[in-house]
Amino acid sequence: MKLVRLALLVAVTVSLAACQYAKTPDPVLSERDAQFMAMIPTAMEDPMFARYMVDNPTSQPPGVVVVETKQHLLYYTMPNGKAMRYGVALGSEAFGWTGEAVIDHKAEWPDWNPPAEMVARWPHVKKTAGGWTNPLGARAMYLFHDGKDTLYRIHGTNEPEKIGQSVSSGCIRMRNIDVIDLYNRVSDGTKVIVR
């Protein structure tokens, strides 16, 4: 009897938790997006890091990107007290970054030019043309502070299995379908808070 009650309690808890989140449709893909993304390995998606419309937990007004580093979640705040929530992979502890920036510009399937500091640490990394093998994935949003490049990006990934982990050199990685969704929502000048 206790086992039945426990199972019922778990079922009710899960169903109530599901009511707090609204799954959203995937963005429409271009032919190039579909071709490249078909070549990228897929990974089991942890529901904790799926894309959902949620009540805005950030206290920021609409139109702000907020990255909660401890939870590995990124929120894009929207009108009516809502926010789009995405799972992210972040910098490993040694490379973590917090602060404020703005999206200076955006790019589709961008080239990757590793900064000199990264090349010094890992001499094997090289400039990579945009495409499905590129570490920046489907989209990149370039973060600037006071008019200067922070060298940090919000970008896609060709390693979707690492979403929810601290593994990068400081950038904010998203599943490619999610970074396309965010890219379509934000504009140059969008405020970004990483905390």
Side-chain angles (χ1 to χ4, degrees):
M1 189 65 169
K2 285 184 178 181
L3 187 58
V4 171
R5 281 189 209 159
L6 180 59
L8 182 60
L9 179 62
V10 168
V12 169
T13 302
V14 168
S15 66
L16 287 175
C19 293
Q20 297 175 6
Y21 304 126
K23 247 334 210 171
T24 61
D26 287 340
V28 175
L29 300 178
S30 70
E31 187 176 326
R32 182 171 77 155
D33 288 338
Q35 288 174 349
F36 282 160
M37 288 174 63
M39 294 185 248
I40 297 172
T42 57
M44 288 293 291
E45 181 179 319
D46 182 337
M48 174 61 195
F49 300 111
R51 181 178 68 251
Y52 294 107
M53 178 77 72
V54 298
D55 291 334
N56 180 2
T58 71
S59 76
Q60 293 298 315
V64 178
V65 172
V66 179
V67 180
E68 297 290 0
T69 57
K70 288 185 178 25
Q71 291 84 30
H72 290 88
L73 295 172
L74 180 151
Y75 296 91
Y76 178 64
T77 59
M78 302 178 77
N80 302 316
K82 295 296 184 183
M84 192 63 71
R85 189 193 86 173
Y86 310 87
V88 295
L90 298 166
S92 58
E93 200 168 316
F95 302 109
W97 171 74
T98 57
E100 292 188 14
V102 297
I103 295 173
D104 181 77
H105 60 282
K106 310 183 301 179
E108 296 187 15
W109 297 101
D111 292 345
W112 180 51
N113 297 294
E117 298 83 10
M118 183 180 288
V119 174
R121 283 192 308 272
W122 301 302
H124 67 281
V125 298
K126 305 278 187 255
K127 179 179 177 176
T128 307
W132 71 274
T133 61
N134 187 310
L136 295 182
R139 304 287 189 272
M141 289 154 270
Y142 296 78
L143 303 182
F144 279 55
H145 179 74
D146 290 336
K148 295 182 181 173
D149 190 349
T150 64
L151 301 180
Y152 293 104
R153 316 284 183 245
I154 299 171
H155 64 81
T157 183
N158 53 15
E159 298 178 308
E161 70 279 5
K162 294 187 177 174
I163 297 301
Q165 300 177 31
S166 296
V167 293
S168 75
S169 291
C171 286
I172 301 156
R173 297 185 194 178
M174 302 176 73
R175 291 185 319 133
N176 282 309
I177 196 72
D178 289 346
V179 80
I180 291 171
D181 186 81
L182 180 64
Y183 180 99
N184 292 345
R185 294 176 188 278
V186 300
S187 57
D188 293 352
T190 296
K191 182 177 181 179
V192 177
I193 300 170
V194 180
R195 56 191 186 190

